[in-house]
Amino acid sequence: MLAQDDEAAVRAATISGLASAGGEPSHWGQLLVELADDPDPTVRQRVAVVARHLAPDAAPDILHRYASDPDQTLRRLADTELNRLTNPTTR
């Protein structure tokens, strides 16, 4: 329900909460994939940061799509996270 809240800040906080909840990534991966198309840049930014942890199979597709997003911050985050996917020792 929180992932569908009218407030973008609530949706973004939900993503952050899922990332810190632990457990098997597949439990939350589908929800993250659904939120990847959120109209709010803040929500998409949170998705970019946690995608490789919560939806590792979908992360490359999401991040490549975000690399050409109109939001400059999202593009920067996507580039950083794509680099982390290809160079896992990079923090």
Side-chain angles (χ1 to χ4, degrees), residues 44-85:
R44 293 193 314 274
Q45 289 167 14
R46 291 305 312 149
V47 169
V49 171
V50 303
R52 63 190 174 94
H53 299 294
L54 293 181
D57 292 341
D61 290 337
I62 292 169
L63 295 171
H64 281 293
R65 187 166 23 116
Y66 284 177
S68 61
D69 193 271
D71 181 72
Q72 180 180 4
T73 302
L74 183 55
R75 288 193 312 267
R76 183 179 45 80
L77 286 170
D79 287 341
T80 298
E81 294 302 318
L82 280 167
N83 186 45
R84 289 179 176 155
L85 278 175

Side-chain angles (χ1 to χ4, degrees), residues 1-17 35-47:
M1 288 176 30
L2 292 174
Q4 296 174 357
D5 195 274
D6 290 338
E7 293 291 325
V10 173
R11 295 190 307 274
T14 300
I15 295 167
S16 296
L35 288 169
D37 293 325
D38 195 279
D40 190 272
T42 306
V43 175
R44 293 193 314 274
Q45 289 167 14
R46 291 305 312 149
V47 169

